[in-house]
Amino acid sequence: GAMSADPRLKMKPESNGKKMTNSVPLLRMENITKIFPGVRALSNVSFALDAGEVRALVGENGAGKSTLIKILSGVYQPTEGTILIEGTPVSINNPAEGKRMGVSSVHQEVTLEPYLSVAENIFLQRQPLNKLGFIDYRKMNAEATYWLSQMGVQLDPEIPLGMISIAEKQMVAIAQAISLNAKIIIFDEPTSSLTQKETDHLFEVIRKLKQQNIGIIYISHRMDEIFEVCTSVTVMRDGQVTGNERIENLTPDDIIRLMVGRELKDMFCREQRYAAEPILEIRRLSVQGILNDINLTLHRGEILGLAGLVGSGRTELARAIFGDLPYQKGEIRINGAAFTPSEPSDSIRKGIALVPEDRKEIGLILKQSVAKNISLTVLRTLHRFGFIKEHDESLLTGEFIEKLAIKTPSPNQIVQNLSGGNQQRVVISKWLATEPDILIIDEPTRGIDVGAKSEIHAFLDLLASRGMAILMISSDLPEVITLSDRIAVMYQGRIRTIINKQDATEELITSCATGQMKTESEIGARA
């Protein structure tokens, strides 16, 4: 097409390590700011991408990477700032427009049509037609085979997409992009569900795309991959760029420092203290393909932090303990006695409560009142002859509204109308009403403003000081460090290490969570 006739794309982007003088970057994002109601998601973000460059985009969860990518793909519009493609300012109003301008994405969860064939997916909404206006299947299948072969992929173009592996679906998404004449391809955590062999093949394909002068933005948490496949890196923290650098000028530790380097001030801080006797012991617990040989002990009065990247198995471990995910091997002991939960109600009876991360989906009945939500888990004790004892329900609710400082006009307020922080308190109340010995809480302050955060922190500390054992999953490193007595770091379904409160730093946790640290002794040497 007219695109490939552009002489600039024929040039090698870097010759002898020096920038070519008169070359315009393939993409420039200049001073991109994005403000959502009440939140400044991005603040003056700028970076450039050359043809044939593979630029890593890294940062902790919530640093603004996905907002930035959504702006580049046309899902969101920037509040301020400019996007230039090959030196020309563009406004990308929706993803289809983005694709026409040469911007394509390959997501972890590839968004394609499972019931259509491989070829139909590659040519979605632009199938070649014959003279009679029908889809020309022979031509379409032949072209699909051609684009796949460009990447060294052999796939039957007629097989339904639902029948192939995740890795193969990614190849279909890449074939779709290059057949659309993509200039920029965004990869979002592409290896999170791939085997090592599939990952190696993906990197081969990325190298081929590089040779075709396509610019690539590669979002990943895995340091080894970034150093293997990327030529440069942009680091983000709290909606801003903290570094734009060629990869050879950085070490993994430098990147981690740019990702986390914030001051731990104004944080709630708790003393390390817990009883000697274990309440929950997990030995060699394994779930096929998800958890591998997990050993963990939780003591009375302890807050044990569970850190790790999304997909490392933290939530699955919580679900296995709670009887919501069957495990194949290993054992769970509570107060020294073996315990095999077959469903969550077993665990609730045993004194375990789980506050899930996805409060809206699992944690609350949004259309019901605060009182109804809080009493949900203890209806059995509130029932009398099939009626709920209203008096007890309002006593219970009143107690929690007070204890947790839930800001609600009355116990009869519909939960949907409360703020996120107050909804979170209602979920916690609902589980505390079961008077658990063990509280498992997943991302306790996700999506909550700073003020409400420290109140919830103080409350969890209070529960622990009264002897409750708390297993807290959190991606918020300052939260993990300030609240936990000990921190178990997970990586790819295993517990990589357990760090004591006094040794914990954001750098240490991040290097364990990204697979940098290899052994206990190394950690001993570093800490």
Side-chain angles (χ1 to χ4, degrees):
M3 307 275 183
S4 54
D6 186 328
R8 220 181 18 249
L9 292 185
K10 296 277 181 283
M11 297 195 314
K12 282 275 177 285
E14 302 268 325
S15 61
N16 63 35
K18 298 265 190 302
K19 281 276 194 326
M20 307 235 7
T21 40
N22 54 6
S23 74
V24 182
L26 175 60
L27 165 74
R28 282 194 76 84
M29 292 188 86
E30 288 183 350
N31 302 322
I32 302 288
T33 295
K34 179 66 179 170
I35 299 173
F36 295 105
V39 182
R40 198 180 178 93
L42 295 174
S43 200
N44 287 322
V45 170
S46 301
F47 72 92
L49 177 72
D50 288 322
E53 176 180 9
V54 184
R55 178 170 287 274
L57 183 59
V58 300
E60 292 185 283
N61 301 328
K65 304 182 302 261
S66 48
T67 307
L68 184 63
I69 289 314
K70 283 181 171 151
I71 287 175
L72 178 56
S73 357
V75 180
Y76 296 153
Q77 307 311 305
T79 311
E80 289 163 29
T82 323
I83 300 175
L84 298 99
I85 294 182
E86 296 177 328
T88 309
V90 294
S91 62
I92 306 175
N93 298 308
N94 55 54
E97 216 169 88
K99 278 191 171 163
R100 278 200 298 280
M101 292 180 191
V103 180
S104 282
S105 305
V106 179
H107 297 288
Q108 325 158 261
E109 307 304 329
V110 179
T111 42
L112 298 166
E113 300 294 330
Y115 300 110
L116 296 179
S117 72
V118 164
E120 286 169 316
N121 270 288
I122 292 176
F123 295 102
L124 211 53
Q125 294 164 340
R126 53 188 184 110
Q127 295 92 338
L129 306 177
N130 60 21
K131 292 196 181 76
L132 300 170
F134 295 114
I135 292 179
D136 186 337
Y137 282 99
R138 244 185 54 211
K139 183 176 181 202
M140 182 171 74
N141 291 336
E143 287 199 14
T145 304
Y146 166 76
W147 288 113
L148 288 164
S149 72
Q150 288 292 292
M151 303 179 301
V153 178
Q154 288 176 320
L155 254 182
D156 174 357
E158 299 182 56
I159 194 170
L161 200 79
M163 310 282 290
I164 64 177
S165 73
I166 291 183
E168 290 168 326
K169 285 180 187 150
Q170 287 184 345
M171 294 304 153
V172 172
I174 299 169
Q176 183 194 59
I178 56 177
S179 69
L180 274 163
N181 216 334
K183 301 170 187 179
I184 298 160
I185 302 183
I186 301 160
F187 286 91
D188 187 359
E189 295 278 354
T191 61
S192 58
S193 323
L194 305 189
T195 63
Q196 189 52 52
K197 200 171 156 214
E198 292 167 335
T199 298
D200 293 342
H201 181 227
L202 175 70
F203 290 172
E204 278 304 299
V205 170
I206 288 178
R207 289 185 190 107
K208 287 199 171 86
L209 297 173
K210 217 173 121 174
Q211 284 156 3
Q212 296 166 29
N213 270 332
I214 290 172
I216 291 170
I217 294 176
Y218 188 89
I219 300 175
S220 175
H221 281 300
R222 298 184 176 171
M223 290 294 157
D224 46 349
E225 289 182 4
I226 291 170
F227 280 85
E228 183 176 343
V229 79
C230 298
T231 49
S232 57
V233 60
T234 292
V235 189
M236 293 185 68
R237 179 172 78 233
D238 302 331
Q240 294 173 318
V241 171
T242 54
N244 270 323
E245 202 44 87
R246 292 196 60 76
I247 203 82
E248 59 268 23
N249 302 338
L250 294 173
T251 65
D253 281 347
D254 295 332
I255 294 181
I256 289 169
R257 215 163 291 127
L258 290 166
M259 276 166 60
V260 301
R262 64 169 97 82
E263 303 311 304
L264 286 183
K265 51 178 191 294
D266 324 320
M267 289 290 300
F268 169 84
C269 208
R270 76 185 272 281
E271 295 298 301
Q272 181 176 23
R273 49 151 196 272
Y274 55 86
E277 85 252 29
I279 181 167
L280 171 73
E281 294 165 277
I282 299 165
R283 293 293 168 258
R284 315 213 64 149
L285 188 79
S286 296
V287 174
Q288 186 69 46
I290 299 177
L291 296 175
N292 219 317
D293 204 26
I294 300 281
N295 293 295
L296 203 56
T297 303
L298 177 65
H299 305 83
R300 278 185 196 285
E302 174 177 36
I303 299 183
L304 177 60
L306 200 51
L309 302 170
V310 173
S312 60
R314 299 172 308 171
T315 300
E316 290 75 10
L317 175 56
R319 287 179 51 209
I321 299 169
F322 194 56
D324 185 33
L325 179 70
Y327 51 93
Q328 281 74 40
K329 292 216 295 281
E331 62 166 358
I332 297 177
R333 306 180 81 82
I334 292 183
N335 290 321
F339 167 61
T340 313
S342 54
E343 55 182 18
S345 58
D346 297 344
S347 304
I348 293 172
R349 276 196 294 278
K350 262 285 185 239
I352 302 178
L354 171 70
V355 179
E357 173 189 6
D358 201 337
R359 311 190 266 282
K360 294 233 182 344
E361 294 297 309
I362 319 169
L364 290 171
I365 303 175
L366 292 172
K367 302 266 188 278
Q368 290 264 26
S369 69
V370 171
K372 290 275 179 284
N373 269 285
I374 290 179
S375 59
L376 201 64
T377 50
V378 286
L379 291 180
R380 210 178 290 115
T381 57
L382 294 177
H383 269 293
R384 196 112 181 240
F385 315 119
F387 297 103
I388 288 184
K389 297 181 285 185
E390 293 291 339
H391 174 67
D392 291 2
E393 181 181 82
S394 62
L395 270 179
L396 176 80
T397 312
E399 187 189 341
F400 279 111
I401 288 177
E402 187 184 350
K403 250 193 214 168
L404 269 143
I406 300 172
K407 294 180 185 56
T408 173
S410 90
N412 305 322
Q413 170 71 298
I414 301 302
V415 167
Q416 201 165 7
N417 304 336
L418 301 180
S419 71
N422 286 306
Q423 287 182 2
Q424 176 68 315
R425 291 179 189 157
V426 173
V427 182
I428 297 176
S429 306
K430 165 180 128 173
W431 287 108
L432 292 182
T434 65
E435 299 185 352
D437 297 317
I438 298 168
L439 175 66
I440 304 172
I441 187 161
D442 197 348
E443 300 290 0
T445 59
R446 157 130 338 143
I448 291 180
D449 61 85
V450 178
K453 239 184 193 178
S454 42
E455 285 175 31
I456 286 181
H457 289 171
F459 185 70
L460 290 173
D461 178 50
L462 177 71
L463 293 174
S465 70
R466 292 185 180 166
M468 191 181 288
I470 300 176
L471 181 63
M472 175 184 76
I473 301 171
S474 173
S475 304
D476 178 337
L477 292 182
E479 172 166 271
V480 172
I481 290 172
T482 48
L483 270 181
S484 311
D485 295 300
R486 293 180 305 141
I487 299 157
V489 186
M490 293 190 69
Y491 176 70
Q492 297 187 346
R494 294 174 177 276
I495 288 186
R496 196 59 191 257
T497 183
I498 294 182
I499 304 170
N500 275 318
K501 186 182 192 70
Q502 59 273 19
D503 302 329
T505 63
E506 295 194 33
E507 277 89 351
L508 179 59
I509 296 173
T510 307
S511 24
C512 297
T514 50
Q516 289 305 298
M517 290 283 182
K518 297 299 180 279
T519 60
E520 295 290 333
S521 59
E522 252 183 74
I523 288 168
R526 303 273 306 251

